[in-house]
Amino acid sequence: PLGSGGMARVYRAYHPKLDRYVAVKVLRSDLVDDPTFLSRFRQEAQSVAALRHPNIIQVFDFDVETENDMYYMVMELLDGDSLHTRVNDYRIRDDKMPYGEMVRIMLDVLDGLDYAHAEGVIHRDIKPANILLTKKGQAVLADFGIAQIIGSTQHTVSGALLGTLNYMAPEQGLTGSC
C-alpha cells in the first residue's frame, strides 16, 4: 500500500508486460455499487489519461477485474514523496524549505495546472498530499478524483462541497459550486 483517500487505495505493483513498477489505484469495495462513484472514477482515469504533461501523473490503464468487481487504474510510480511529506520533514527538523525549492515546486504545479485547464480539466483538490515530488525535485500533480471536466455532467448534488476543507478557497465553502 502507498496510501488511501476518500474514493480509493493506491498500491505499488509490478507490471510484467511493461517490466516496471507502477501505482495501482483501486476503488474502495464499498463504492463499486454506487454508479456515481464508478462514473467519477472512470472519468478521472479517462481525463488524466488524455493529459500528456511532465507535471501531471500519467495513467496507463483503467479496467475492472470482473470476478471480484474491482475497479482500478494503473499509473506511473514516481520515485519520490509527496509535498505533504516533504513539508513535514522540514517541520520535524525545525527547518524551512529553501525559497528556491518552493519556487521550483510552485512553477511546476502552475505549469501542470495551466496545461490541464487549457485541456478543459480543473483539478479541484490541490493540496500538498496531491503534489508528488520526484527524487530530482520535479513536482507532479496527482489524484484528479474530483476533477471537473469543462462541459461534462456534474457528479454531485447542488451545494455539495468538493475538495479538502483546509485547502479550499473561501468562496468554495460559501457556494459549494466551484
Side-chain angles (χ1 to χ4, degrees), residues 74-141:
V74 181
M75 304 173 290
E76 70 178 313
L77 180 65
L78 299 176
D79 60 355
D81 50 19
S82 70
L83 179 57
H84 177 79
T85 300
R86 181 79 51 90
V87 169
N88 279 339
D89 289 346
Y90 279 110
R91 188 175 297 134
I92 288 168
R93 293 191 315 257
D94 197 28
D95 198 4
K96 294 181 181 179
M97 183 181 286
Y99 289 115
E101 185 177 1
M102 281 190 261
V103 169
R104 188 178 63 251
I105 291 168
M106 181 61 74
L107 290 174
D108 283 352
V109 169
L110 291 173
D111 206 25
L113 287 174
D114 181 56
Y115 175 80
H117 290 180
E119 295 298 312
V121 177
I122 300 172
H123 191 288
R124 299 199 310 184
D125 197 21
I126 297 298
K127 60 184 179 182
N130 290 342
I131 299 169
L132 306 178
L133 304 171
T134 67
K135 288 195 189 276
K136 294 181 180 179
Q138 180 184 21
V140 179
L141 295 171

Side-chain angles (χ1 to χ4, degrees), residues 23-177:
V24 179
K25 186 173 189 175
V26 180
L27 185 64
R28 286 187 4 216
S29 60
D30 60 314
L31 300 176
V32 297
D33 293 327
D34 184 333
T36 300
F37 280 101
L38 289 178
S39 178
R40 281 175 54 189
F41 195 66
R42 184 177 296 110
Q43 179 183 17
E44 176 188 6
Q46 291 171 341
S47 63
V48 178
L51 301 175
R52 295 284 183 255
H53 192 276
N55 301 112
I56 296 176
I57 196 88
Q58 288 214 332
V59 172
F60 301 131
D61 195 9
F62 170 81
D63 209 346
V64 60
E65 195 274 318
T66 54
E67 189 173 306
N68 296 313
D69 210 22
M70 182 172 52
Y71 289 78
Y72 65 91
M73 73 177 80
V74 181
M75 304 173 290
E76 70 178 313
L77 180 65
L78 299 176
D79 60 355
D81 50 19
S82 70
L83 179 57
H84 177 79
T85 300
R86 181 79 51 90
V87 169
N88 279 339
D89 289 346
Y90 279 110
R91 188 175 297 134
I92 288 168
R93 293 191 315 257
D94 197 28
D95 198 4
K96 294 181 181 179
M97 183 181 286
Y99 289 115
E101 185 177 1
M102 281 190 261
V103 169
R104 188 178 63 251
I105 291 168
M106 181 61 74
L107 290 174
D108 283 352
V109 169
L110 291 173
D111 206 25
L113 287 174
D114 181 56
Y115 175 80
H117 290 180
E119 295 298 312
V121 177
I122 300 172
H123 191 288
R124 299 199 310 184
D125 197 21
I126 297 298
K127 60 184 179 182
N130 290 342
I131 299 169
L132 306 178
L133 304 171
T134 67
K135 288 195 189 276
K136 294 181 180 179
Q138 180 184 21
V140 179
L141 295 171
D143 198 356
F144 281 71
I146 61 171
Q148 178 180 6
I149 312 306
I150 305 291
S152 72
T153 304
Q154 290 287 338
H155 291 284
T156 61
V157 294
S158 179
L161 287 175
L162 283 177
T164 304
L165 189 58
N166 290 344
Y167 297 98
M168 282 182 176
E171 61 272 17
Q172 281 181 272
L174 294 174
T175 65
S177 62

